[in-house]
C-alpha cells in the first residue's frame, strides 16, 4: 500500500522534499503540495507530478487521502503544525527547528506524550550523513578511544535572509551542530560561551562557540554565514587514541597551472542530498511501522537544540559563559 504524503511549504526545502518523495521514495505518493502562495504550490506540483495543490495546512493535515505530512513551512509554523498532525494521528517529518522556543517544544512533547506515541521526526538530516555515521561508529567500536574534543566549522556562502543576525547564526544555523554533535558523542551540553570577531563592515560576523559537555568534552563550533566562497562544513572528532575527520564530498579534482582545485556546493541541499534521502526513507518506514527511526531526531532532541540555542544567544548578548539548563528527560523519550 502506498503512503500518501502532503508537503506543507513550497519554498526551498519544501520543493526539495517534494522531489525526494516524487523521485526517490518507492512506496510513497506525493499527494498534495500546500502553500499560501498558490502559484508557488502549483509550480512545485507541476515540477514533481504531485496529485493536488492546496493552501490551508490545517485542512490538508486532516484530509482523509493524506497519510503523513512533511512540514517545510516557515519556522514559526513548525510547532503548531506538528501539534495538528499529532491531533490528527498522522506522522510528520518536520523541518528543523521544532521551535526556536524551548517552551513551545515542551508543548509539542506534551501533546505526543498525551497521544501515547511518537508522531514527530525532526529534519536534523545530518545524523544520516555518512561522515557523522562513521564518527559515531568509531566511538562505539573504541577505535579512537574515548572522545575528548570535537572541532566544527559551518560556513554558508551568504546569509539566507537580509535580516539575519549573529544571534540567528546560533538559533538558525548552529542547531544542526548542536544536534549532531550530542548525537555523535551521546552526551548533553553543560555550558556555552560565544564570541564574534569585530568587523567594521559586518552584516553578520562569524560566531565562534565553545561548549562543554556533561561528560567533560570540549566542542568548538564556528558558524560563518557570509563565508563567500562556498558551503563548507567540517568536523573532526578527537579521541584519546586517534581522530576522525570529515572529508569534503567532491567527485572530481581539476589539475591546472601547477595547482589543483575541487568544487564546493552552493548550499546544504546538494551537500546533504544523500542524508536527506536516507532521512526521508527512514521517515517512510516510521509511517509504515510506527517504530521511531533508530537515529532520527525526536521532539526531545528538538527541545535540547532549542535550549542550547536560547542559551547561546544569551551568552552572546551578555558576553559570558552560561550553564545549559535542561529539564529532566521524560521517561517517554528515554
Ligand atoms: C539553514 O536554515 C539550514 O538549515 C542549513 O542546513 C544550514 O546549513 C544553514 O546554515 C541554515 O541557515
Amino acid at each position: 500500500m502506498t503512503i500518501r504524503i502532503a508537503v506543507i511549504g513550497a519554498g526551498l526545502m519544501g520543493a526539495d522534499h517534494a522531489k525526494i518523495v516524487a523521485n526517490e521514495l518507492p512506496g510513497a505518493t506525493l499527494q498534495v503540495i500546500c502553500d499560501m502562495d498558490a502559484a508557488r504550490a502549483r509550480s512545485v506540483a507541476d515540477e514533481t507530478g504531485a496529485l493536488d495543490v492546496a493552501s490551508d495546512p490545517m485542512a490538508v493535515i486532516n484530509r482523509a487521502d493524506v497519510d503523513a505530512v512533511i512540514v517545510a513551512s516557515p519556522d514559526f509554523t513548525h510547532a503548531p503544525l506538528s501539534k495538528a498532525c499529532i491531533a490528527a494521528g498522522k506522522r510528520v517529518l518536520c523541518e528543523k527547528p521544532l521551535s526556536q522556543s524551548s517552551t513551545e517544544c515542551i508543548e509539542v512533547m506534551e501533546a505526543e506524550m498525551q497521544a501515547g506515541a511518537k508522531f514527530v521526526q525532526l529534519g536534523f538530516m545530518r545524523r544520516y550523513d555518512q561522515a557523522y555515521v562513521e564518527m559515531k561508529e568509531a566511538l562505539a567500536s573504541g577505535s579512537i578511544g574515548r572522545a575528548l574534543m570535537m572541532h566544527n566549522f559551518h560556513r554558508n556562502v551568504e546569509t539566507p535572509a537580509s535580516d539575519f543576525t549573529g544571534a540567528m547564526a546560533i538559533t538558525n544555523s548552529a542547531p544542526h551542530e548542536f544536534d549532531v554533535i550530542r548525537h555523535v558523542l551521546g552526551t548533553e551540553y553543560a555550558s556555552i560561551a560565544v564570541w564574534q570577531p569585530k568587523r567594521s563592515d559586518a552584516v553578520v560576523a562569524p560566531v565562534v562557540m565553545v561548549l562543554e559537555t556533561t561528560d567533560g568534552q570540549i566542542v568548538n563550533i564556528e558558524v560563518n554565514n557570509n563565508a563567500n566562497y562556498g558551503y563548507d562544513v567540517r568536523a573532526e572528532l578527537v579521541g584519546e587514541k586517534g581522530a576522525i575527520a570529515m572529508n569534503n564530498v567532491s567527485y572530481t579534482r581539476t589539475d591546472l597551472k601547477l595547482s589543483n582545485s575541487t568544487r564546493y556546493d552552493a548550499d546544504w541541499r546538494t551537500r546533504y542530498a544523500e542524508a536527506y534521502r536516507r532521512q526521508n526513507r527512514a521517515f517512510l518506514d516510521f509511517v509504515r511501522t510506527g517504530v521511531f527511526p533508530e537515529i532520527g531526531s525526536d521532539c526531545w532532541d528538538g527541545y535540547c537544540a532549542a535550549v542550547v540555542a536560547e542559551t547561546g544567544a544569551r551568552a552572546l548578548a551578555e558576553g559570558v559563559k552560561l550553564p545549559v539548563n535542561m529539564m529532566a528527560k521524560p521517561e517517554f523519550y528515554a
Side-chain angles (χ1 to χ4, degrees):
M1 201 189 78
T2 182
I3 304 288
R4 296 160 299 179
I5 296 185
V7 174
I8 298 179
L12 271 193
M13 286 316 302
D16 217 51
H17 280 296
K19 278 183 212 146
I20 295 174
V21 174
N23 305 324
E24 325 220 29
L25 274 196
T29 301
L30 185 54
Q31 194 74 6
V32 198
I33 305 288
C34 175
D35 198 290
M36 279 165 63
D37 179 338
R40 195 154 79 151
R42 184 76 268 161
S43 140
V44 172
D46 287 347
E47 212 186 318
T48 54
L51 298 183
D52 199 2
V53 289
S55 58
D56 176 355
M58 294 297 181
V60 162
I61 288 168
N62 288 296
R63 272 169 66 149
D65 64 352
V66 167
D67 302 312
V69 179
I70 296 181
V71 169
S73 41
D75 289 5
F76 71 91
T77 65
H78 292 181
L81 293 179
S82 293
K83 280 198 274 183
C85 290
I86 297 168
K90 296 189 182 167
R91 255 90 208 190
V92 52
L93 174 64
C94 178
E95 261 304 322
K96 49 67 64 176
L98 180 54
S99 167
Q100 290 193 358
S101 145
S102 56
T103 311
E104 206 178 23
C105 292
I106 294 174
E107 286 170 23
V108 187
M109 282 198 278
E110 280 167 354
E112 261 191 346
M113 288 191 274
Q114 240 165 30
K118 288 189 185 180
F119 282 89
V120 186
Q121 182 184 343
L122 267 186
F124 279 126
M125 77 300 182
R126 287 205 200 169
R127 290 180 175 217
Y128 292 89
D129 181 63
Q130 189 60 20
Y132 293 111
V133 168
E134 290 179 17
M135 287 182 192
K136 200 164 171 58
E137 280 169 3
L139 283 183
S141 71
S143 62
I144 61 163
R146 288 185 307 173
L148 297 176
M149 294 178 280
M150 197 155 161
H151 306 290
N152 306 271
F153 292 62
H154 177 160
R155 296 180 182 160
N156 287 355
V157 177
E158 58 186 358
T159 43
S162 55
D163 55 353
F164 210 81
T165 62
M168 282 167 76
I170 304 172
T171 57
N172 177 287
S173 298
H176 280 294
E177 270 78 16
F178 298 153
D179 180 72
V180 79
I181 296 164
R182 60 182 276 284
H183 167 69
V184 167
L185 296 177
T187 181
E188 297 298 353
Y189 301 108
S191 71
I192 180 167
V194 187
W195 291 268
Q196 269 191 305
K198 310 271 178 287
R199 273 195 340 186
S200 56
D201 62 343
V203 183
V204 182
V207 170
V208 177
M209 290 159 260
V210 177
L211 298 98
E212 292 162 309
T213 71
T214 49
D215 284 350
Q217 293 117 345
I218 303 290
V219 170
N220 63 285
I221 308 171
E222 173 206 298
V223 176
N224 183 357
N225 292 104
N226 283 305
N228 197 48
Y229 64 88
Y231 184 69
D232 184 11
V233 170
R234 306 182 205 173
E236 183 176 21
L237 171 62
V238 183
E240 286 174 321
K241 293 195 275 184
I244 174 166
M246 170 186 292
N247 277 334
N248 249 316
V249 183
S250 184
Y251 290 105
T252 55
R253 183 198 68 227
T254 304
D255 296 300
L256 215 57
K257 294 186 182 162
L258 303 178
S259 66
N260 69 50
S261 61
T262 53
R263 290 182 63 83
Y264 279 106
D265 287 289
D267 68 37
W268 55 91
R269 289 169 298 167
T270 42
R271 165 63 184 84
Y272 289 108
E274 180 56 16
Y276 279 112
R277 276 193 285 271
R278 288 178 175 184
Q279 168 194 263
N280 291 16
R281 285 184 193 134
F283 174 63
L284 195 64
D285 284 345
F286 175 35
V287 178
R288 275 207 197 98
T289 63
V291 179
F292 194 80
E294 202 188 329
I295 63 167
S297 278
D298 63 17
C299 289
W300 169 253
D301 299 309
Y303 163 80
C304 294
V307 173
V308 184
E310 281 171 345
T311 315
R314 264 202 303 126
L316 173 65
E318 294 170 21
V320 289
K321 170 170 123 178
L322 289 175
V324 175
N325 295 318
M326 297 205 309
M327 65 186 276
K329 189 172 185 175
E331 188 56 34
F332 182 87
Y333 292 101

